[in-house]
Every structure is written in C-alpha cells, then in structure tokens.
C-alpha cells in the first residue's frame, strides 16, 4: 500500500522564545496527549526573500506570482513534517531528512517543491525540518553560559530534530539506523558542516549535498565575530543596555528588521565554538580524519546565471574575475574568453569557484582516503522559452526531480519524468544502501583522481568527464 500519511507541524523542541531565544533547543514537553498534525507550522523568522524568488520564478515561466501563498513567520518555529506509507516499526524504511536552503537567513521546511508525498511512495520516510534562521540562529553574546551552547543555534536545532528522529521515527515506519540527510545550497552546507562534527555522530549515516556553496568547506565564523554582530544589533536597535536580557526582550519582528538593515549582505556560517565545531570542514578534510559516511555531492550547470544582470559587460566579467576566491583570476578569465555571452562566462567562473571545484576536491579526497563519494552534474534545462534563454539549469532547478513536485507553470515532458524517475531511484537507493546504483538505473561510478567521472543528470543520464577540469586545475594549484 503506497497511500502516504502526512504528519505536519510536529514539535521537536520547546518554542525558542522569550528567555529561550539564543539558547540551545530545549526538550519539548507535551501538554496534551492529542495533537492536530494536519497543518504546517509557521516558518522561522525571516524576510520574504525566498518567497519573492519563487514568485519571480513563476512569473519568468509565464505563470502568476500569486501561485505561491503568502508566508506566515514566527519565532516559534521548531517543527518538523513527516511523510510515510507505514506506521509499523517493522516496516524499517530508510529515512530521508531534508535540510532546506536559503543562505541560512530564509527558506522553510515546506516550500512547495519540498513536500514529501511523492518521494515517500518510493519506500522511504521523508522528514523536513525547520531551524532558526539569520539573527535568531547565528549569534553569540558574552553573557551566555559557557557550559551551554553559546553559538550555532541553527545547527543545534538540526541536531535536536535528528535526536527526535532517533527516538521516534520507528513509530512512523522508519529505521533510525539508516538516516540520510539531504539538502541544497545553505542546507547542503549545513549537512557538510555536521558531517565533520563529532557531536552529530550516530545521528545520521549518509549525506546528499546538492549545490553546496563555497562556505560549506572553507569559510567559518568565530565567537568574537558573532558577539560583535550582537553588539551591532543592540546599536541598530538603539539599546543603551546591550545585555543579552535586553536583546531577548525586543519583539522578534523588530529584531529581524534592525538586523536585516544593519547586516544586509552577511552570509551566516558555522562559528568555531569548540563545542559543535573545533575547525572548518575544509581543515578537517586536509588534516583528517575524514568521515566514512557515504556521500552524493553535485552541482547544477548554471548556478549563478539567473543572479547576474542582463546587461553584464566583459569589463564586468574582468572585474569579477579579479575577485575569485580560490583561483587565479587572470588565468581563469582566459579559459572562458571563448564564450559569446559575458553572462555565461561569469556564471562559469563563479559556479566553478564557489561550487564545482570544491565539491570535486572533497569527493576526490574522500575517495582516495575512505571511499564512498559520488558526484553528479545536473544539466537539464526545461523546455520553456524562459528556461532556455534566462535560467538554464538554475540553482534549485533539481528540486522538482528529487521530490517529484513539478510546478504547474513549467512545461514537464517525458524527458523530465524520466529524469525524475532515475534521480529518485539514485537518491532512495543511496538512502537504503549507501550506494546509488541499482539494476534499473545507468551505472554511476565513484569519483576518482586521474580521470574523474561524474554522472550527468540531464536530457539523458550517463557518466562523463568532470566539468570545468581546466578551471578546477587552477583551483588545485591555488591550494
């Protein structure tokens, strides 16, 4: 029976409000034996940035922006959602836990493409998790008790959800010894960070990282930097008293507004707190030990294209090439000079610099030392005119294939449905066994050093040489 049951808005911790703001999530104490689990809980406090992106996407494809409902947000947001076909512990189904993206300052667990009803029919229990965003998930303060968590509250939320899953998922037909975290963008970054944290050992067993940005491996914050932003927040709020108690007394919408104005471009990353994280994932990757946990990791072909202005010039490309983080700009620029579209040239540079080369490096290192890493390259461009000219294989373009949730404003063809079937098989087989391969899908090789192969997920599915090998050679030289 593949009838899917959904349990929505299930609390996994006490609401992080009042005195619990900027504290580790506290165990949930039920006040009633019955609970309505038919509605999603509000999203965590955030601006409407991601909602606006979805509405822009709908309009770009020729749909209506109001295809997407308004979003309710609240500081009381530590809830998860479960989709399953069985409530028997004996079902022992693999568990797939979705960690949403959104730059760690926006996004929510039940964005329309993340609903788990289709994926659960493939024989897995799907869970999606809400966790604190932005200012509420990523600050520290000198008043905090050093014997309790002092930073990284977003990550502690994810850990609390994973502990809840260990304790309860068998009641939903799930096998707590086969938990796969999967997520995209900042969500994938968070998975990589937790994969390299000893504190999460035993809470999940495999990882799928979709379009992990640069931050997942190298960039980290510090307690000093987090405390400085707390002082900046107090100043932005006009508080004479900058104590933690004073900051906790300010209503959440005011905190969000002042913080967004004070730190509009800040990208939230893990802080080295010597509690959850003692070093960056990148440093762990170089020094070891490397987690044995099986890993699928990959990128989309046009991660940055959609974010670039249409009137981009070659002068702009030259300027931005000089700002690349992990390769020589002049040498990189010479490798994309044959592009006729400057926008595509810069998209290639940023996609390689922030996504592709770091991902390939991680997979290569992992396979040389412990094995168990597969790399994909998602290249499918929808057959709509807008996708062909304005979007390409855009950041987030793989969601509908993973979840089987194609939006009605997009053209979905047999090619898309075939790709969905293969991708779901890879993801689900990996969640079940730790290896994406099965008898029904094209063979997918692990990613090894000299002639690395990736699985192209596009108009057709097959292995090919790793993309951007010349740009990634520059990356390796730089490091």
């Amino acid at each position: 029976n593949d009838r899917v049951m959904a349990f929505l808005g299930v609390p996994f911790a006490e609401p992080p409000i009042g005195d619990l703001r900027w504290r580790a999530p506290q165990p949930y104490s039920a006040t009633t034996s019955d609970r309505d689990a038919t509605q999603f809980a509000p999203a965590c406090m955030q601006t409407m940035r991601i909602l606006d992106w979805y509405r822009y996407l709908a309009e770009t494809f020729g749909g209506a922006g109001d295809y997407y409902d308004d979003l309710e947000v609240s500081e009381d947001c530590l809830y998860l959602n479960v989709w399953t076909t069985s409530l028997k512990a004996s079902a022992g189904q693999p568990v797939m836990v979705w960690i949403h993206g959104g730059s760690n300052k926006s996004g929510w667990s039940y964005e329309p493409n993340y609903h788990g009803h289709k994926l659960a029919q493939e024989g897995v229990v799907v869970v999606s998790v809400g966790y604190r965003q932005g200012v509420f998930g990523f600050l520290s303060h000198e008043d905090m008790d050093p014997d309790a968590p002092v930073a990284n509250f977003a990550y502690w939320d994810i850990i609390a959800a994973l502990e809840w899953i260990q304790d309860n998922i068998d009641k939903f037909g799930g096998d707590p010894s086969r938990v796969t975290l999967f997520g995209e963008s900042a969500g994938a970054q968070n998975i990589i960070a937790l994969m390299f944290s000893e504190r999460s050992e035993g809470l999940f067993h495999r990882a799928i990282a979709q379009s992990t940005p640069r931050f997942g491996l190298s960039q980290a914050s510090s307690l000093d930097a987090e405390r400085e932003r707390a002082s900046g927040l107090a100043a932005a709020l006009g508080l004479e008293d900058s104590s933690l108690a004073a900051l906790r007394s300010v209503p959440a919408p005011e905190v969000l507004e002042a913080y967004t104005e004070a730190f509009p471009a800040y990208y939230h990353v893990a802080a080295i707190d010597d509690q959850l994280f003692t070093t960056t994932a990148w440093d762990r990757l170089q020094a070891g030990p490397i987690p044995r946990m099986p890993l699928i990791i990959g990128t989309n072909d046009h991660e940055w294209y959609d974010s670039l202005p249409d009137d981009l010039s070659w002068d702009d490309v030259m300027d931005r090439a000089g700002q690349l983080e992990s390769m020589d700009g002049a040498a990189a620029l010479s490798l994309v000079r044959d592009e006729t579209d400057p926008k595509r040239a810069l998209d290639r540079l940023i996609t390689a610099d922030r996504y592709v080369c770091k991902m390939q490096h991680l997979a290569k290192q992992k396979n040389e030392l412990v094995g168990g890493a597969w790399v994909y390259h998602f290249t499918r461009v929808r057959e709509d005119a807008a996708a062909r000219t304005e979007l390409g294989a855009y950041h987030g373009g793989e969601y509908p294939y993973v979840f089987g949730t194609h939006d009605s404003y997009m053209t979905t063809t047999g090619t898309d449905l075939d790709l969905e079937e293969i991708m779901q098989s890879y993801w689900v087989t990996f969640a079940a066994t730790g290896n994406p391969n099965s008898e029904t899908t094209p063979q997918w090789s692990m990613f090894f050093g000299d002639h690395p192969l990736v699985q192209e997920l596009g108009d057709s599915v097959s292995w090919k040489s790793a993309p951007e090998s010349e740009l990634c050679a520059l990356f390796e030289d730089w490091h």
Side-chain angles (χ1 to χ4, degrees):
N1 178 3
D2 60 4
R3 190 176 65 87
V4 174
M5 293 164 277
F7 299 86
L8 312 178
V10 178
F12 64 84
E14 284 292 302
I17 57 177
D19 190 45
L20 297 185
R21 180 187 289 172
W22 298 308
R23 245 186 239 283
Q26 302 299 305
Y28 179 72
S29 51
T31 51
T32 170
S33 57
D34 294 321
R35 183 177 182 88
D36 178 359
T38 59
Q39 303 287 322
F40 293 113
C44 289
M45 292 300 296
Q46 60 189 273
T47 66
M48 293 301 124
R49 188 177 141 264
I50 295 291
L51 179 63
D52 290 344
W53 178 79
Y54 275 113
R55 288 175 169 170
Y56 151 78
L57 197 66
E59 288 167 0
T60 302
F61 272 99
D66 62 7
Y67 179 90
Y68 296 105
D69 295 333
D70 289 347
L71 182 66
E72 184 188 351
V73 299
S74 170
E75 201 176 359
D76 173 5
C77 63
L78 298 186
Y79 299 86
L80 52 77
N81 313 296
V82 183
W83 290 267
T84 182
T85 56
S86 174
L87 298 179
K88 294 186 179 134
S90 58
Q93 297 190 107
V95 183
M96 297 184 70
V97 184
W98 178 253
I99 310 297
H100 70 78
S103 304
N104 276 332
K105 65 180 176 185
S106 43
W108 58 101
S109 66
Y110 52 93
E111 292 171 30
N113 287 142
Y114 305 162
H115 294 195
H117 52 289
K118 290 272 190 66
L119 193 53
Q121 289 177 350
E122 303 302 315
V124 289
V125 179
V126 180
V127 184
S128 67
V129 173
Y131 58 102
R132 281 173 278 184
Q133 298 291 304
V135 59
F136 300 95
F138 295 85
L139 273 193
S140 188
H141 196 288
E142 56 197 12
D143 293 351
M144 288 176 181
D145 175 2
D147 294 328
V150 295
N152 295 314
F153 301 108
Y155 292 96
W156 287 108
D157 291 345
I158 295 169
I159 283 177
L162 293 174
E163 289 173 339
W164 185 96
I165 288 165
Q166 285 300 308
D167 292 342
N168 296 288
I169 207 65
D170 61 335
K171 302 179 186 74
F172 299 87
D175 177 357
S177 72
R178 287 190 297 166
V179 175
T180 298
L181 291 195
F182 69 132
E184 187 264 356
S185 199
Q189 162 200 309
N190 298 339
I191 291 168
I192 300 276
L194 288 171
M195 185 174 159
F196 282 89
S197 168
E198 282 160 22
R199 180 60 182 75
S200 63
E201 215 165 292
L203 295 178
F204 66 106
H205 314 96
R206 342 198 192 288
I208 302 174
Q210 301 167 204
S211 299
T212 311
R214 58 192 186 208
F215 315 98
L217 285 173
S218 51
Q219 194 166 326
S221 184
S222 65
L223 287 184
D224 285 347
E226 298 299 322
R227 287 169 182 153
E228 231 168 83
R229 278 207 329 288
S231 301
L233 171 62
L237 286 164
L239 298 180
E240 287 178 22
D241 171 7
S242 62
S243 69
L244 187 57
L247 284 171
R248 283 181 174 144
S249 70
V250 178
E254 289 176 36
V255 170
L256 177 66
E257 188 179 355
Y259 183 85
T260 304
E261 211 166 292
F263 303 100
Y266 183 76
Y267 192 101
H268 299 86
V269 292
I272 305 303
D273 57 2
D274 291 330
Q275 293 175 330
L276 204 48
F277 304 111
T278 54
T279 179
T280 65
W282 180 260
D283 289 343
R284 269 285 299 276
L285 188 60
Q286 309 313 314
I290 290 184
R292 295 190 167 273
M293 179 183 295
L295 172 70
I296 287 176
I297 196 163
T299 53
N300 295 1
D301 199 28
H302 304 82
E303 296 281 10
W304 214 253
Y305 192 84
D306 170 43
S307 303
L308 297 171
D310 288 334
D311 58 356
L312 195 79
S313 70
W314 275 105
D315 284 344
D316 297 326
V317 179
M318 288 166 69
D319 284 348
R320 290 289 291 273
Q323 299 164 28
L324 295 176
E325 296 179 353
S326 55
M327 58 186 72
D328 178 75
L333 187 62
S334 70
L335 294 173
V336 297
R337 268 299 194 179
D338 57 346
E339 290 287 350
T340 52
D341 174 8
K343 198 169 154 180
R344 176 56 177 154
L346 184 54
D347 171 45
R348 281 182 57 198
L349 290 178
I350 296 175
T351 296
D353 182 50
R354 295 189 180 185
Y355 298 85
V356 175
C357 302
K358 279 206 173 97
M359 299 305 92
Q360 292 184 12
H361 181 88
L362 169 57
K364 185 165 141 261
Q365 291 278 94
K366 183 166 162 43
N367 280 337
E368 279 173 9
L369 294 165
V370 296
W374 291 264
V375 178
Y376 70 82
H377 188 219
F378 180 86
T379 61
R380 174 64 181 162
V381 178
R382 294 266 176 183
E383 285 169 30
D384 306 77
R388 299 272 152 189
T389 56
E390 296 176 51
L391 297 166
Y394 57 90
H395 190 65
E398 81 285 7
Y399 301 154
Y401 301 88
V402 171
F403 284 93
T405 50
H406 302 273
D407 299 291
S408 62
Y409 56 74
M410 298 173 171
T411 301
T412 301
T413 66
T415 303
D416 295 305
L417 295 175
D418 289 347
L419 179 57
E420 173 198 317
E421 190 179 334
I422 294 171
M423 285 181 66
Q424 286 192 343
S425 175
Y426 282 146
W427 266 231
V428 167
T429 304
F430 178 80
T433 67
N435 184 319
N437 288 293
S438 68
E439 289 173 13
T440 61
T441 47
Q443 179 67 26
W444 185 349
S445 302
M446 278 199 279
F447 186 92
F448 285 107
D450 294 342
H451 299 287
L453 301 178
V454 303
Q455 202 74 344
E456 178 162 14
L457 304 175
D459 296 351
S460 59
V461 176
S462 62
W463 60 267
K464 67 175 181 181
S465 294
E468 301 295 12
S469 57
E470 291 179 308
L471 285 171
C472 291
L474 293 179
F475 171 90
E476 295 296 338
D477 290 345
W478 194 261
H479 294 84

